Amino acid sequence: AELPQRAIAWPLDVPLDVEDLRTLAETYGGLGAVAAEAGISRESLYRALSAKGNPTLKTILAVLKAVGMRLSVEPGERLAA
């Protein structure tokens, strides 16, 4: 089942946290639909995206892919040695 397409504006300089990831999943058809699209059980996704959740990188990537997003990494400022 393909999730509905939605446009969400996210400021480029604001980091995404677990609660934000849950909000994204809820916006894209709900946690159950995103879990199915991501290949994760609904219960596992609810637990991972709870206030005390600690999702794995694999879960984060699967959820982002399910909602049509991707994770990017950019170089930070180097600390002086």
Side-chain angles (χ1 to χ4, degrees):
E2 193 167 314
L3 296 176
Q5 297 297 312
R6 302 202 194 295
I8 293 182
W10 198 271
L12 297 176
D13 59 344
V14 176
L16 197 67
D17 65 20
V18 173
E19 290 180 24
D20 297 326
L21 196 56
R22 182 183 182 104
T23 300
L24 277 174
E26 289 170 346
T27 301
Y28 279 84
L31 290 175
V34 170
E37 185 75 19
I40 302 168
S41 76
R42 186 176 57 83
E43 295 79 13
S44 293
L45 188 58
Y46 271 94
R47 194 169 32 257
L49 300 183
S50 71
K52 293 185 179 184
N54 188 16
T56 64
L57 182 57
K58 181 178 179 180
T59 298
I60 293 168
L61 294 174
V63 169
L64 289 174
K65 183 177 179 183
V67 299
M69 299 181 86
R70 66 176 183 221
L71 179 68
S72 67
V73 178
E74 60 185 57
E77 295 180 29
R78 290 192 139 185
L79 297 176

